[in-house]
mmCIF file of all heavy atoms in Angstrom:
data_model
loop_
_atom_site.group_PDB
_atom_site.id
_atom_site.type_symbol
_atom_site.label_atom_id
_atom_site.label_comp_id
_atom_site.label_asym_id
_atom_site.label_seq_id
_atom_site.Cartn_x
_atom_site.Cartn_y
_atom_site.Cartn_z
ATOM 1 N N SER I 1 136.243 -104.557 17.344
ATOM 2 C CA SER I 1 135.979 -105.844 17.712
ATOM 3 C C SER I 1 135.082 -105.976 18.854
ATOM 4 O O SER I 1 134.977 -105.005 19.611
ATOM 5 C CB SER I 1 137.376 -106.609 18.033
ATOM 6 O OG SER I 1 137.879 -105.894 19.159
ATOM 7 N N SER I 2 134.473 -107.172 19.138
ATOM 8 C CA SER I 2 133.604 -107.439 20.144
ATOM 9 C C SER I 2 133.526 -108.829 20.499
ATOM 10 O O SER I 2 134.177 -109.690 19.656
ATOM 11 C CB SER I 2 132.175 -106.948 20.061
ATOM 12 O OG SER I 2 131.486 -107.911 19.294
ATOM 13 N N THR I 3 132.919 -109.438 21.529
ATOM 14 C CA THR I 3 132.855 -110.849 21.736
ATOM 15 C C THR I 3 131.531 -111.321 21.188
ATOM 16 O O THR I 3 131.187 -112.526 21.553
ATOM 17 C CB THR I 3 132.844 -111.102 23.340
ATOM 18 O OG1 THR I 3 131.815 -110.374 23.910
ATOM 19 C CG2 THR I 3 134.147 -110.664 24.027
ATOM 20 N N GLY I 4 130.882 -110.636 20.393
ATOM 21 C CA GLY I 4 129.626 -111.227 19.737
ATOM 22 C C GLY I 4 128.567 -109.923 19.580
ATOM 23 O O GLY I 4 128.620 -108.836 20.112
ATOM 24 N N TYR I 5 127.527 -110.337 18.740
ATOM 25 C CA TYR I 5 126.467 -109.409 18.548
ATOM 26 C C TYR I 5 125.844 -109.118 19.910
ATOM 27 O O TYR I 5 125.522 -109.984 20.650
ATOM 28 C CB TYR I 5 125.554 -110.009 17.546
ATOM 29 C CG TYR I 5 126.039 -110.069 16.134
ATOM 30 C CD1 TYR I 5 126.346 -111.188 15.573
ATOM 31 C CD2 TYR I 5 126.111 -108.891 15.438
ATOM 32 C CE1 TYR I 5 126.902 -111.185 14.133
ATOM 33 C CE2 TYR I 5 126.648 -108.847 14.083
ATOM 34 C CZ TYR I 5 127.028 -110.069 13.536
ATOM 35 O OH TYR I 5 127.589 -109.982 12.397
ATOM 36 N N PHE I 6 125.620 -107.768 20.124
ATOM 37 C CA PHE I 6 125.010 -107.229 21.222
ATOM 38 C C PHE I 6 125.731 -107.516 22.577
ATOM 39 O O PHE I 6 125.047 -107.405 23.647
ATOM 40 C CB PHE I 6 123.410 -107.735 21.372
ATOM 41 C CG PHE I 6 122.587 -107.262 20.099
ATOM 42 C CD1 PHE I 6 122.393 -108.289 19.125
ATOM 43 C CD2 PHE I 6 122.207 -106.025 19.957
ATOM 44 C CE1 PHE I 6 121.569 -107.935 18.131
ATOM 45 C CE2 PHE I 6 121.531 -105.705 18.839
ATOM 46 C CZ PHE I 6 121.179 -106.677 17.856
ATOM 47 N N ALA I 7 126.964 -108.035 22.498
ATOM 48 C CA ALA I 7 127.832 -107.945 23.713
ATOM 49 C C ALA I 7 128.196 -106.573 24.075
ATOM 50 O O ALA I 7 127.902 -105.630 23.448
ATOM 51 C CB ALA I 7 129.057 -108.770 23.341
ATOM 52 N N ASN I 8 128.911 -106.408 25.171
ATOM 53 C CA ASN I 8 129.164 -105.168 25.782
ATOM 54 C C ASN I 8 129.970 -104.114 24.771
ATOM 55 O O ASN I 8 129.515 -102.983 24.674
ATOM 56 C CB ASN I 8 129.918 -105.191 27.110
ATOM 57 C CG ASN I 8 129.135 -105.786 28.221
ATOM 58 O OD1 ASN I 8 127.990 -105.386 28.398
ATOM 59 N ND2 ASN I 8 129.654 -106.580 29.088
ATOM 60 N N ALA I 9 131.003 -104.741 24.139
ATOM 61 C CA ALA I 9 131.699 -103.954 23.217
ATOM 62 C C ALA I 9 130.848 -103.522 21.981
ATOM 63 O O ALA I 9 130.943 -102.341 21.638
ATOM 64 C CB ALA I 9 133.003 -104.637 22.761
ATOM 65 N N HIS I 10 130.001 -104.480 21.620
ATOM 66 C CA HIS I 10 129.304 -104.106 20.353
ATOM 67 C C HIS I 10 128.190 -102.950 20.716
ATOM 68 O O HIS I 10 128.132 -101.973 19.977
ATOM 69 C CB HIS I 10 128.473 -105.366 20.018
ATOM 70 C CG HIS I 10 127.494 -105.100 18.802
ATOM 71 N ND1 HIS I 10 126.568 -105.994 18.496
ATOM 72 C CD2 HIS I 10 127.685 -104.366 17.715
ATOM 73 C CE1 HIS I 10 126.114 -105.605 17.287
ATOM 74 N NE2 HIS I 10 126.758 -104.482 16.896
ATOM 75 N N VAL I 11 127.548 -103.043 21.799
ATOM 76 C CA VAL I 11 126.491 -101.949 22.137
ATOM 77 C C VAL I 11 127.231 -100.616 22.490
ATOM 78 O O VAL I 11 126.858 -99.605 22.224
ATOM 79 C CB VAL I 11 125.620 -102.483 23.345
ATOM 80 C CG1 VAL I 11 124.534 -101.259 23.764
ATOM 81 C CG2 VAL I 11 124.866 -103.749 22.988
ATOM 82 N N GLY I 12 128.455 -100.819 23.298
ATOM 83 C CA GLY I 12 129.144 -99.664 23.695
ATOM 84 C C GLY I 12 129.768 -98.882 22.569
ATOM 85 O O GLY I 12 129.504 -97.571 22.563
ATOM 86 N N VAL I 13 130.333 -99.380 21.622
ATOM 87 C CA VAL I 13 131.023 -98.798 20.455
ATOM 88 C C VAL I 13 129.791 -98.279 19.541
ATOM 89 O O VAL I 13 129.867 -97.189 19.026
ATOM 90 C CB VAL I 13 131.953 -99.625 19.705
ATOM 91 C CG1 VAL I 13 132.503 -98.977 18.412
ATOM 92 C CG2 VAL I 13 133.089 -100.122 20.708
ATOM 93 N N ASP I 14 128.857 -99.109 19.383
ATOM 94 C CA ASP I 14 127.659 -98.718 18.503
ATOM 95 C C ASP I 14 126.945 -97.360 19.076
ATOM 96 O O ASP I 14 126.541 -96.536 18.218
ATOM 97 C CB ASP I 14 126.753 -99.760 18.328
ATOM 98 C CG ASP I 14 125.874 -99.550 16.997
ATOM 99 O OD1 ASP I 14 124.834 -98.782 17.100
ATOM 100 O OD2 ASP I 14 126.154 -100.185 16.004
ATOM 101 N N GLY I 15 126.869 -97.400 20.424
ATOM 102 C CA GLY I 15 126.239 -96.224 21.007
ATOM 103 C C GLY I 15 127.096 -95.053 20.758
ATOM 104 O O GLY I 15 126.633 -93.821 20.489
ATOM 105 N N PHE I 16 128.441 -95.073 20.721
ATOM 106 C CA PHE I 16 129.365 -94.069 20.370
ATOM 107 C C PHE I 16 129.163 -93.616 18.930
ATOM 108 O O PHE I 16 129.122 -92.415 18.589
ATOM 109 C CB PHE I 16 130.766 -94.347 20.657
ATOM 110 C CG PHE I 16 131.859 -93.680 19.816
ATOM 111 C CD1 PHE I 16 131.971 -92.363 19.899
ATOM 112 C CD2 PHE I 16 132.602 -94.399 19.042
ATOM 113 C CE1 PHE I 16 132.950 -91.597 19.047
ATOM 114 C CE2 PHE I 16 133.570 -93.785 18.144
ATOM 115 C CZ PHE I 16 133.719 -92.398 18.216
ATOM 116 N N ALA I 17 129.030 -94.560 18.109
ATOM 117 C CA ALA I 17 128.950 -94.224 16.820
ATOM 118 C C ALA I 17 127.519 -93.574 16.425
ATOM 119 O O ALA I 17 127.566 -92.610 15.588
ATOM 120 C CB ALA I 17 128.886 -95.608 15.790
ATOM 121 N N GLN I 18 126.466 -93.940 17.120
ATOM 122 C CA GLN I 18 125.264 -93.255 16.925
ATOM 123 C C GLN I 18 125.407 -91.799 17.340
ATOM 124 O O GLN I 18 124.896 -90.919 16.706
ATOM 125 C CB GLN I 18 124.159 -93.953 17.811
ATOM 126 C CG GLN I 18 123.787 -95.342 17.319
ATOM 127 C CD GLN I 18 122.730 -96.018 18.214
ATOM 128 O OE1 GLN I 18 121.905 -95.308 18.939
ATOM 129 N NE2 GLN I 18 122.626 -97.282 18.221
ATOM 130 N N ALA I 19 126.035 -91.485 18.537
ATOM 131 C CA ALA I 19 126.271 -90.150 19.068
ATOM 132 C C ALA I 19 127.077 -89.343 17.982
ATOM 133 O O ALA I 19 126.852 -88.092 17.982
ATOM 134 C CB ALA I 19 126.834 -90.029 20.362
ATOM 135 N N ALA I 20 128.053 -90.047 17.394
ATOM 136 C CA ALA I 20 128.967 -89.240 16.503
ATOM 137 C C ALA I 20 128.440 -89.228 15.147
ATOM 138 O O ALA I 20 128.991 -88.368 14.234
ATOM 139 C CB ALA I 20 130.322 -90.028 16.356
ATOM 140 N N GLY I 21 127.325 -89.868 14.739
ATOM 141 C CA GLY I 21 126.701 -89.954 13.486
ATOM 142 C C GLY I 21 127.615 -90.623 12.429
ATOM 143 O O GLY I 21 127.633 -90.069 11.226
ATOM 144 N N ILE I 22 128.267 -91.624 12.814
ATOM 145 C CA ILE I 22 129.144 -92.382 11.843
ATOM 146 C C ILE I 22 128.741 -93.833 11.783
ATOM 147 O O ILE I 22 128.025 -94.272 12.653
ATOM 148 C CB ILE I 22 130.751 -92.303 12.245
ATOM 149 C CG1 ILE I 22 130.804 -92.743 13.707
ATOM 150 C CG2 ILE I 22 131.129 -90.778 12.186
ATOM 151 C CD1 ILE I 22 132.244 -92.887 14.249
ATOM 152 N N GLN I 23 129.303 -94.409 10.747
ATOM 153 C CA GLN I 23 129.040 -95.908 10.537
ATOM 154 C C GLN I 23 130.305 -96.572 10.634
ATOM 155 O O GLN I 23 131.333 -96.410 9.933
ATOM 156 C CB GLN I 23 128.464 -96.099 9.139
ATOM 157 C CG GLN I 23 128.134 -97.618 8.887
ATOM 158 C CD GLN I 23 127.670 -97.810 7.267
ATOM 159 O OE1 GLN I 23 127.059 -96.937 6.854
ATOM 160 N NE2 GLN I 23 127.826 -98.941 6.790
ATOM 161 N N LEU I 24 130.394 -97.689 11.604
ATOM 162 C CA LEU I 24 131.604 -98.336 11.796
ATOM 163 C C LEU I 24 131.286 -99.863 11.376
ATOM 164 O O LEU I 24 130.250 -100.232 11.260
ATOM 165 C CB LEU I 24 131.982 -98.326 13.217
ATOM 166 C CG LEU I 24 132.145 -96.900 13.893
ATOM 167 C CD1 LEU I 24 132.552 -97.115 15.422
ATOM 168 C CD2 LEU I 24 133.397 -96.177 13.233
ATOM 169 N N LEU I 25 132.475 -100.639 11.111
ATOM 170 C CA LEU I 25 132.404 -101.965 10.736
ATOM 171 C C LEU I 25 132.570 -102.826 12.077
ATOM 172 O O LEU I 25 133.700 -102.831 12.680
ATOM 173 C CB LEU I 25 133.517 -102.358 9.856
ATOM 174 C CG LEU I 25 133.543 -103.812 9.333
ATOM 175 C CD1 LEU I 25 132.169 -104.240 8.774
ATOM 176 C CD2 LEU I 25 134.805 -104.027 8.473
ATOM 177 N N HIS I 26 131.521 -103.703 12.390
ATOM 178 C CA HIS I 26 131.588 -104.511 13.561
ATOM 179 C C HIS I 26 132.206 -105.838 13.152
ATOM 180 O O HIS I 26 131.766 -106.463 12.250
ATOM 181 C CB HIS I 26 130.111 -104.637 14.109
ATOM 182 C CG HIS I 26 130.113 -105.666 15.312
ATOM 183 N ND1 HIS I 26 129.097 -106.695 15.391
ATOM 184 C CD2 HIS I 26 130.918 -105.900 16.325
ATOM 185 C CE1 HIS I 26 129.258 -107.460 16.504
ATOM 186 N NE2 HIS I 26 130.427 -106.980 17.089
ATOM 187 N N VAL I 27 133.216 -106.334 13.961
ATOM 188 C CA VAL I 27 133.861 -107.503 13.646
ATOM 189 C C VAL I 27 133.718 -108.355 14.977
ATOM 190 O O VAL I 27 134.575 -108.191 15.922
ATOM 191 C CB VAL I 27 135.389 -107.400 13.273
ATOM 192 C CG1 VAL I 27 136.048 -108.775 12.964
ATOM 193 C CG2 VAL I 27 135.445 -106.379 12.089
ATOM 194 N N PRO I 28 132.817 -109.395 15.067
ATOM 195 C CA PRO I 28 132.738 -110.162 16.337
ATOM 196 C C PRO I 28 133.737 -111.317 16.389
ATOM 197 O O PRO I 28 134.123 -111.896 15.362
ATOM 198 C CB PRO I 28 131.255 -110.741 16.194
ATOM 199 C CG PRO I 28 131.009 -110.626 14.753
ATOM 200 C CD PRO I 28 131.749 -109.632 14.111
ATOM 201 N N TYR I 29 134.166 -111.458 17.611
ATOM 202 C CA TYR I 29 135.168 -112.622 17.827
ATOM 203 C C TYR I 29 134.498 -113.523 18.986
ATOM 204 O O TYR I 29 133.411 -113.132 19.548
ATOM 205 C CB TYR I 29 136.413 -112.162 18.446
ATOM 206 C CG TYR I 29 137.256 -111.448 17.358
ATOM 207 C CD1 TYR I 29 137.053 -110.150 16.867
ATOM 208 C CD2 TYR I 29 138.338 -112.152 16.813
ATOM 209 C CE1 TYR I 29 137.915 -109.624 15.928
ATOM 210 C CE2 TYR I 29 139.195 -111.485 15.767
ATOM 211 C CZ TYR I 29 138.800 -110.224 15.508
ATOM 212 O OH TYR I 29 139.636 -109.643 14.375
ATOM 213 N N GLN I 30 134.982 -114.700 19.032
ATOM 214 C CA GLN I 30 134.408 -115.787 20.029
ATOM 215 C C GLN I 30 134.679 -115.448 21.490
ATOM 216 O O GLN I 30 134.012 -115.972 22.316
ATOM 217 C CB GLN I 30 134.788 -117.089 19.639
ATOM 218 C CG GLN I 30 134.124 -117.562 18.357
ATOM 219 C CD GLN I 30 134.470 -119.086 17.903
ATOM 220 O OE1 GLN I 30 135.415 -119.610 18.560
ATOM 221 N NE2 GLN I 30 133.701 -119.569 17.086
ATOM 222 N N GLY I 31 135.747 -114.686 21.760
ATOM 223 C CA GLY I 31 136.193 -114.430 23.123
ATOM 224 C C GLY I 31 136.770 -113.137 23.325
ATOM 225 O O GLY I 31 137.083 -112.509 22.412
ATOM 226 N N GLY I 32 136.786 -112.766 24.597
ATOM 227 C CA GLY I 32 137.262 -111.418 25.058
ATOM 228 C C GLY I 32 138.715 -111.210 24.627
ATOM 229 O O GLY I 32 139.198 -110.188 24.140
ATOM 230 N N SER I 33 139.618 -112.325 24.993
ATOM 231 C CA SER I 33 140.966 -112.146 24.630
ATOM 232 C C SER I 33 141.257 -112.063 23.209
ATOM 233 O O SER I 33 142.177 -111.311 22.785
ATOM 234 C CB SER I 33 141.752 -113.369 25.186
ATOM 235 O OG SER I 33 141.179 -114.599 24.645
ATOM 236 N N GLN I 34 140.519 -112.770 22.276
ATOM 237 C CA GLN I 34 140.540 -112.575 20.852
ATOM 238 C C GLN I 34 140.237 -111.204 20.323
ATOM 239 O O GLN I 34 140.988 -110.608 19.576
ATOM 240 C CB GLN I 34 139.753 -113.606 20.206
ATOM 241 C CG GLN I 34 140.222 -115.037 20.489
ATOM 242 C CD GLN I 34 139.094 -116.079 19.811
ATOM 243 O OE1 GLN I 34 137.928 -115.999 20.055
ATOM 244 N NE2 GLN I 34 139.610 -116.864 18.951
ATOM 245 N N ALA I 35 139.199 -110.643 20.993
ATOM 246 C CA ALA I 35 138.738 -109.318 20.580
ATOM 247 C C ALA I 35 139.788 -108.216 20.921
ATOM 248 O O ALA I 35 140.036 -107.358 20.200
ATOM 249 C CB ALA I 35 137.370 -108.979 21.213
ATOM 250 N N LEU I 36 140.442 -108.390 22.102
ATOM 251 C CA LEU I 36 141.336 -107.463 22.539
ATOM 252 C C LEU I 36 142.655 -107.601 21.752
ATOM 253 O O LEU I 36 143.390 -106.558 21.397
ATOM 254 C CB LEU I 36 141.724 -107.648 23.998
ATOM 255 C CG LEU I 36 140.685 -107.204 24.959
ATOM 256 C CD1 LEU I 36 141.006 -107.696 26.343
ATOM 257 C CD2 LEU I 36 140.493 -105.718 24.875
ATOM 258 N N MET I 37 143.086 -108.880 21.451
ATOM 259 C CA MET I 37 144.330 -109.086 20.609
ATOM 260 C C MET I 37 144.177 -108.559 19.297
ATOM 261 O O MET I 37 145.044 -108.254 18.652
ATOM 262 C CB MET I 37 144.700 -110.556 20.600
ATOM 263 C CG MET I 37 145.197 -111.002 21.966
ATOM 264 S SD MET I 37 146.527 -110.022 22.694
ATOM 265 C CE MET I 37 147.810 -110.118 21.595
ATOM 266 N N ALA I 38 142.904 -108.555 18.749
ATOM 267 C CA ALA I 38 142.579 -108.015 17.367
ATOM 268 C C ALA I 38 143.052 -106.581 17.287
ATOM 269 O O ALA I 38 143.655 -106.118 16.285
ATOM 270 C CB ALA I 38 141.105 -108.256 17.099
ATOM 271 N N VAL I 39 142.577 -105.778 18.278
ATOM 272 C CA VAL I 39 142.886 -104.385 18.338
ATOM 273 C C VAL I 39 144.379 -104.128 18.511
ATOM 274 O O VAL I 39 145.073 -103.299 18.107
ATOM 275 C CB VAL I 39 142.008 -103.545 19.267
ATOM 276 C CG1 VAL I 39 142.254 -103.861 20.647
ATOM 277 C CG2 VAL I 39 142.173 -101.980 18.919
ATOM 278 N N ALA I 40 144.874 -104.971 19.586
ATOM 279 C CA ALA I 40 146.315 -104.858 19.918
ATOM 280 C C ALA I 40 147.294 -105.113 18.600
ATOM 281 O O ALA I 40 148.375 -104.567 18.543
ATOM 282 C CB ALA I 40 146.726 -105.780 21.071
ATOM 283 N N GLY I 41 146.815 -106.103 17.874
ATOM 284 C CA GLY I 41 147.509 -106.456 16.632
ATOM 285 C C GLY I 41 147.330 -105.711 15.387
ATOM 286 O O GLY I 41 147.943 -105.907 14.294
ATOM 287 N N GLY I 42 146.335 -104.816 15.532
ATOM 288 C CA GLY I 42 145.944 -103.907 14.373
ATOM 289 C C GLY I 42 145.061 -104.542 13.381
ATOM 290 O O GLY I 42 144.895 -104.019 12.277
ATOM 291 N N GLN I 43 144.435 -105.699 13.661
ATOM 292 C CA GLN I 43 143.511 -106.349 12.745
ATOM 293 C C GLN I 43 142.159 -105.514 12.668
ATOM 294 O O GLN I 43 141.492 -105.586 11.725
ATOM 295 C CB GLN I 43 143.163 -107.713 13.133
ATOM 296 C CG GLN I 43 144.323 -108.729 12.818
ATOM 297 C CD GLN I 43 145.443 -108.724 13.788
ATOM 298 O OE1 GLN I 43 145.134 -108.624 15.072
ATOM 299 N NE2 GLN I 43 146.650 -108.881 13.351
ATOM 300 N N VAL I 44 141.860 -104.925 13.835
ATOM 301 C CA VAL I 44 140.803 -103.979 13.932
ATOM 302 C C VAL I 44 141.261 -102.639 14.383
ATOM 303 O O VAL I 44 142.352 -102.532 15.002
ATOM 304 C CB VAL I 44 139.506 -104.454 14.667
ATOM 305 C CG1 VAL I 44 138.993 -105.730 13.990
ATOM 306 C CG2 VAL I 44 139.980 -104.636 16.133
#
């Protein structure tokens, strides 16, 4: 999850994926709390 395209989480995790040579699924949310609750709740 992230707060949108090219937001900090999007670029940070994509940079990790590039370094690991893997493809991940990006799921953008409208706010930081929503993005965090998505991983806390297991949606991502």
Side-chain angles (χ1 to χ4, degrees):
S1 62
S2 82
T3 56
Y5 288 104
F6 300 105
N8 288 319
H10 186 199
V11 179
V13 178
D14 198 278
F16 154 61
Q18 291 177 28
I22 56 177
Q23 180 183 335
L24 304 177
L25 175 63
H26 175 222
V27 184
Y29 287 79
Q30 291 186 342
S33 59
Q34 292 174 306
L36 288 171
M37 291 310 298
V39 68
Q43 284 81 40
V44 297

